[in-house]
Amino acid sequence: MREFPHRPFSYSTTYAALRAERAHHMGHDDTPDAATERHWRYAGSGHTPGAALIAAGVAEDIGENREIAHEEREVSR
């Protein structure tokens, strides 16, 4: 049985190393004292009030279009 080579440890990386490389690539100075968000918090889900109104209008339009299409099929029979 042939053994497949494993990834060497030299290819292992960390998020800090990735951020530093990205900063270097983008032309930014390496900022080891950069603030990072270590604690996530739930900010909510769903639509904003304005987006909820738009979504309700779209749903109403879809319902009306379905009714019209159903009526048209009934008339054409």
Side-chain angles (χ1 to χ4, degrees):
M1 182 166 139
R2 183 175 166 186
E3 199 171 314
F4 291 98
H6 297 285
R7 185 177 71 161
F9 288 105
S10 63
Y11 288 113
S12 182
T13 189
T14 64
Y15 287 116
L18 290 172
R19 281 193 299 272
E21 183 59 33
R22 185 182 310 118
H24 176 73
H25 175 74
M26 298 298 289
H28 303 291
D29 290 334
D30 193 16
T31 54
D33 59 339
T36 58
E37 184 68 34
R38 294 184 183 270
H39 300 285
W40 292 74
R41 62 182 172 85
Y42 180 72
S45 64
H47 297 294
T48 62
L53 286 174
I54 293 170
V58 169
E60 186 178 333
D61 290 345
I62 290 171
E64 288 176 7
N65 288 338
R66 286 182 178 162
E67 287 179 25
I68 292 169
H70 180 69
E71 291 170 0
E72 291 295 322
R73 282 193 301 265
E74 293 295 319
V75 170
S76 65
R77 287 185 181 182

